[in-house]
Amino acid sequence: MESVDVKLTSAEIGTLWSEYVNGTAIDVINRYMVTIIEDKKINTLFVEAITTYDKQKQQITKFLEAEGFPVPIGFNESDLINKECSRLFSDNFCLHYLHVMTLHGLLGHITSLSASVRQDLRQFYDKCDSDGKKMYHKTVELLLEKGLFQRDPYFYPEESPEYVSEQKFLKGLFGNKRPLSAVEVISLSFNLKKKILEKTLSIAFSQVTQNEEVREFFKSTQENSDNQIQALSNILRDDNLPVPTSWETEITTAKDSPFSDKLMLYHFGFLMQASQAYHGAGLATAMRTDLVAQYEKIILKNLAVTKDWFDLMTKNEWLEQAPLAPNRRLIASSV
């Protein structure tokens, strides 16, 4: 077994920092939701998610402190500013939220694992991944039990495998275009579900934020998400394929915020950044020109939105700085 005296690399420190900050943001949301959920089965999953992350958070803290790095501020009970306010989300939305956040967690854990070399850290992320998989199965099973899981379109089998034989396979912008491939539907489905969550949270957060600039930002992101949902949905509709249903009606009319503006704004930025990975995957697998063009348009637009988000976060001093590489020029100049 490798000695834990081996120092963690910059990449390993980066994974720990990201897992801590992103995890604490989601944990605060989960801790609010568990107080409003009435369905016992859904509530039980949230209690498990909170307990699991609490153990992970303690281990991340130990890793960072052992290396002499300060533990990030992240998010905590101070960002849950009003536990007694009217409920903002339905039980069903809470379950959908936990399912999607579990998917993001799985992606984050496997990315962290792939960046880790030291054995104890690999074992930690392997356990995180295992816990995430268990939660994924449980959320899917409960969504299915309640009739809430949105299955992707069904295809009918071909008689035999085929090779692409004509350039028109790429055609999409003009004239007749081929039907979507199963691989392209994967990305369309993932991206639509992420966009639906983004739009729904934009609506909820715009209702309850006390900061006018933050409210205007959420209103604009709501419109942006809706435009992208419509664009991706139309691609499916053109092939007479069903699209995922929206969750807007799962948001109540509450106006009192349970969360700090800092938490709501950061959480949306985290979702935007995670979505860009799915947009990139969609672009990489798209072989129809209209799909390629649409993903490029979405990615470029979301980069502009992320810039607006960054400006708003830094203006309010809400964006915590990750550990930086040593500034050798500054060090040398001070000698």
Side-chain angles (χ1 to χ4, degrees):
M1 180 176 177
E2 183 187 39
S3 171
V4 294
D5 291 336
V6 176
K7 291 179 64 64
L8 294 174
T9 67
S10 55
E12 290 168 335
I13 293 296
T15 64
L16 291 167
W17 189 91
S18 297
E19 292 265 358
Y20 188 96
V21 176
N22 294 334
T24 53
I26 296 169
D27 185 57
V28 172
I29 305 287
N30 287 346
R31 288 178 183 274
Y32 164 70
M33 288 182 171
V34 80
T35 66
I36 64 170
I37 294 170
E38 298 174 350
D39 186 286
K40 292 183 179 179
K41 290 185 177 180
I42 299 176
N43 192 278
T44 297
L45 288 188
F46 271 83
V47 170
E48 182 178 337
I50 291 168
T51 301
T52 298
Y53 180 69
D54 188 55
K55 295 176 182 177
Q56 294 173 358
K57 179 182 174 182
Q58 291 179 37
Q59 185 58 58
I60 292 171
T61 299
K62 290 179 181 178
F63 279 128
L64 290 171
E65 289 179 340
E67 297 292 315
F69 281 86
V71 177
I73 299 169
F75 298 88
N76 50 51
E77 286 293 320
S78 67
D79 294 292
L80 188 53
I81 61 175
N82 191 355
K83 294 181 182 179
E84 306 302 322
C85 65
S86 302
R87 66 180 297 159
L88 185 57
F89 308 112
S90 71
D91 285 5
N92 289 345
F93 176 79
C94 292
L95 180 56
H96 281 300
Y97 174 87
L98 181 60
H99 175 68
V100 175
M101 289 302 104
T102 299
L103 288 173
H104 284 313
L106 285 171
L107 177 61
H109 298 327
I110 203 66
T111 300
S112 296
L113 176 62
S114 65
S116 301
V117 177
R118 211 172 78 177
Q119 188 179 55
D120 58 342
L121 198 59
R122 284 186 283 116
Q123 290 173 340
F124 169 67
Y125 285 131
D126 191 49
K127 179 64 166 59
C128 291
D129 183 59
S130 178
D131 290 337
K133 288 175 182 176
K134 291 176 183 177
M135 181 58 70
Y136 170 78
H137 289 302
K138 290 180 180 181
T139 56
V140 170
E141 289 298 327
L142 192 51
L143 285 166
L144 288 170
E145 179 185 319
K146 294 181 174 298
L148 298 172
F149 194 87
Q150 301 180 57
R151 293 183 183 272
D152 296 320
Y154 290 101
F155 279 10
Y156 292 96
E158 302 287 346
E159 292 183 1
S160 60
E162 295 182 13
Y163 285 100
V164 175
S165 59
E166 298 179 279
Q167 285 293 316
K168 68 179 183 181
F169 188 83
L170 304 176
K171 201 171 185 180
L173 290 175
F174 305 104
N176 294 328
K177 50 194 173 188
R178 62 164 173 81
L180 292 166
S181 72
V183 175
E184 290 165 337
V185 170
I186 293 173
S187 294
L188 284 169
S189 174
F190 269 124
N191 280 294
L192 271 168
K193 290 173 182 178
K194 303 298 177 296
K195 287 295 162 191
I196 288 170
L197 179 64
E198 284 179 17
K199 179 184 176 183
T200 307
L201 287 178
S202 290
I203 293 172
F205 292 164
S206 67
Q207 285 181 193
V208 299
T209 180
Q210 301 304 304
N211 185 304
E212 191 58 37
E213 284 187 291
V214 174
R215 178 177 290 107
E216 290 305 313
F217 174 81
F218 282 131
K219 286 181 179 179
S220 67
T221 55
Q222 176 186 334
E223 182 179 354
N224 179 57
S225 296
D226 185 64
N227 290 338
Q228 294 176 5
I229 289 169
Q230 296 308 316
L232 296 176
S233 296
N234 287 337
I235 293 173
L236 288 172
R237 292 193 185 100
D238 284 346
D239 275 358
N240 297 305
L241 297 175
V243 300
T245 58
S246 66
W247 301 332
E248 289 99 321
T249 55
E250 304 298 333
I251 303 300
T252 72
T253 57
K255 292 185 178 181
D256 296 325
S257 179
F259 312 118
S260 68
D261 290 334
K262 171 188 171 184
L263 172 61
M264 291 187 289
L265 193 58
Y266 178 86
H267 190 29
F268 191 84
F270 161 71
L271 288 176
M272 287 286 293
Q273 292 166 26
S275 293
Q276 289 290 60
Y278 289 96
H279 303 327
L283 178 61
T285 57
M287 296 190 70
R288 238 174 54 178
T289 51
D290 60 327
L291 280 175
V292 172
Q294 191 57 245
Y295 281 125
E296 288 178 339
K297 181 179 179 181
I298 289 174
I299 290 170
L300 289 173
K301 175 60 179 176
N302 287 352
L303 286 174
V305 173
T306 301
K307 175 60 167 59
D308 293 339
W309 170 85
F310 177 84
D311 290 344
L312 199 49
M313 287 290 291
T314 53
K315 178 181 179 180
N316 289 282
E317 297 184 355
W318 289 339
L319 189 59
E320 191 172 352
Q321 181 176 282
L324 301 177
N327 189 331
R328 301 298 181 182
R329 293 178 180 175
L330 180 63
I331 295 172
S333 67
S334 61
V335 174

